């Protein structure tokens, strides 16, 4: 998708270096950063220079390519795979991607290992783009149906950033919106700010602006009253891990939005590629919920009057704060899942109909 009219992907490989867009600096500064080794890859994921479930999976895949470039040694590769999986706990795509890579690379001693790793990392990215495009086409039908009934702007609420910046291209939750816009369907997006890291304000609103899509940033607590006022036709969010029973783990605050949507009879959709499905865990209580630094709450970064990026403290110095990064939306509050294979009930039966598991 576009930034200042130029098409980008979020990650690419060039001359034995991985290039990423540093998302900690957006929207104020556009910086392409070089990732040169496993340590850089782990830090990029942990510090959220790359974030979003599919993108951290892709970063981990390229991290293993970089590990081979550093040292073509199976012990080193194994350690790198563990470090990459442990760099963030909640999104299942990380483990999914590393496991997929290691299936191809474990025990390979030949000098072809680098090419095998690179091909697989590239395929993980290409596949994600195809899947996100299909999610868009499947979700487009839902938006189109609302538009055909309403004959007026379709108002969509989204949380966090499940846009192209969270994937390789298109995004998950935003892909249906981009497809609707391309088809000429008028859409307006309510963008939840998404405290504490403001992925909605800093990333979703930014990427929608760059594609010329109307959007308005709202404080995270505003969605409820907008729904009561009839200002929301549908919600679409992404997910970091969806269980096979349809329970959805996503950015903190998603659950409260789903409850408000349920109370107001507003459809609540979750868009996801199959790489985000955890077919193993049976109980959402077993999902590791990331707890991040309390500094993400107590401090805020933005441009000062001289145009410099500055961080300031906004909480009382003596106050404690707690920063859980994800929550669970039980399947009963999810109208349907939008996947690359089609739209299904958020249930075991629904998922099984689409995926042969
Ligand atoms: O902590 P983040 O910014 O990585 O969280 C991202 C989200 O919660 C997204 O909604 C999710 O990864 C889906 S991305 C297509």
């Amino acid at each position: 998708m576009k930034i200042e009219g130029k098409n980008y992907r979020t990650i690419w490989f060039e001359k034995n270096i991985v290039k990423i867009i540093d998302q900690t600096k957006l929207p104020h500064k556009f910086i392409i950063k070089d990732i040169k080794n496993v340590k850089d890859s782990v830090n990029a994921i942990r510090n959220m220079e790359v974030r979003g479930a599919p993108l951290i999976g892709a970063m981990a895949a390229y991290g293993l390519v970089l590990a081979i470039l550093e040292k073509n040694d199976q012990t080193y590769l194994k350690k790198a795979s563990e470090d990459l999986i442990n760099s963030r706990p909640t999104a299942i795509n990380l483990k999914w991607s590393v496991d997929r890579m290691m299936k191809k690379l474990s025990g390979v001693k030949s000098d072809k290992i680098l090419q095998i790793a690179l091909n697989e990392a590239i395929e993980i990215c290409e596949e994600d783009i195809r899947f996100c495009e299909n999610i868009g086409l499947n979700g487009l039908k839902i938006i189109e149906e609302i538009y055909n009934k309403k004959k007026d702007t379709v108002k969509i609420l989204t949380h966090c950033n499940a846009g192209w910046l969270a994937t390789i291209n298109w995004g998950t939750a935003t892909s249906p919106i981009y497809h609707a816009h391309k088809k000429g369907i008028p859409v307006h997006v309510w963008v939840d700010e998404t405290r504490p890291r403001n992925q909605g304000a800093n990333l979703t609103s930014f990427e929608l602006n760059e594609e010329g899509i109307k959007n308005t940033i709202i404080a995270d607590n505003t969605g409820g009253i907008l729904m009561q006022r009839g200002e929301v036709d549908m919600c679409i969010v992404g997910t970091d891990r969806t269980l096979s029973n349809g329970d959805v783990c996503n950015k903190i605050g998603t659950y409260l939005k789903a409850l408000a949507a349920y109370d107001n009879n507003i459809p609540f959709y979750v868009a996801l590629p199959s790489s985000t499905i955890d077919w193993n865990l049976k109980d959402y209580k077993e999902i590791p919920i990331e707890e991040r630094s309390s500094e993400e709450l107590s401090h805020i970064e933005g441009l000062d009057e001289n145009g410099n990026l500055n961080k300031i403290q906004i909480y009382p110095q003596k106050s404690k704060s707690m920063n859980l990064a994800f929550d669970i939306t039980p399947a009963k509050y999810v109208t349907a899942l939008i996947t690359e294979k089609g739209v299904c009930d958020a249930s075991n039966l629904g998922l099984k109909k689409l995926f042969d598991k």
Side-chain angles (χ1 to χ4, degrees), residues 299-349:
H299 290 65
I300 201 152
E301 193 173 59
L303 286 185
D304 66 16
E305 63 273 23
N306 301 317
N308 298 318
L309 265 186
N310 263 325
K311 197 183 252 189
I312 54 162
Q313 183 179 329
I314 55 171
Y315 284 1
Q317 196 121 36
K318 287 184 184 162
S319 297
K320 280 189 186 153
S321 47
M322 186 212 206
N323 185 11
L324 290 175
F326 297 93
D327 63 21
I328 315 290
T329 301
K332 65 178 171 183
Y333 300 119
V334 177
T335 307
L337 302 172
I338 307 172
T339 79
E340 76 270 14
K341 287 210 175 177
V343 177
C344 72
D345 281 350
S347 69
N348 200 261
L349 200 66

Side-chain angles (χ1 to χ4, degrees), residues 153-164:
T153 303
V154 181
K155 295 175 184 169
I156 303 169
L157 183 142
T158 191
H159 190 69
C160 194
N161 173 262
W164 75 270

Side-chain angles (χ1 to χ4, degrees), residues 192-211:
D192 277 356
E193 179 190 33
T194 319
R195 284 282 292 148
R197 289 187 67 100
N198 297 343
Q199 291 96 324
N202 289 346
L203 304 175
T204 306
S205 181
F206 167 77
E207 59 165 89
L208 292 172
N209 292 343
E210 296 296 308
E211 288 290 328

Side-chain angles (χ1 to χ4, degrees), residues 40-58:
D40 288 352
S41 310
V42 169
N43 285 337
I45 298 171
R46 189 167 288 147
N47 302 332
M48 295 177 69
E49 290 160 0
V50 285
R51 28 76 42 212
L55 179 56
I56 60 178

Side-chain angles (χ1 to χ4, degrees), residues 12 34 48 54 56 69 76 82-83 91 99 108 112 143 168 174 181 187 189 193 224 250 265-266 277 307 318-319 322:
W12 64 98
D34 288 353
M48 295 177 69
I56 60 178
L69 277 167
Y76 189 69
E82 286 160 7
D83 290 350
D99 286 352
V108 177
K112 291 207 177 74
I143 299 178
I168 317 302
T174 56
H181 179 70
V187 287
V189 186
E193 179 190 33
N250 192 47
N265 256 321
I266 291 163
I277 304 171
K318 287 184 184 162
S319 297
M322 186 212 206

Side-chain angles (χ1 to χ4, degrees), residues 250-260 268 327-330 333:
N250 192 47
K251 180 55 52 191
I252 194 87
T254 303
Y255 174 43
L256 292 179
K257 234 27 75 76
L259 287 177
F268 190 90
D327 63 21
I328 315 290
T329 301
Y333 300 119

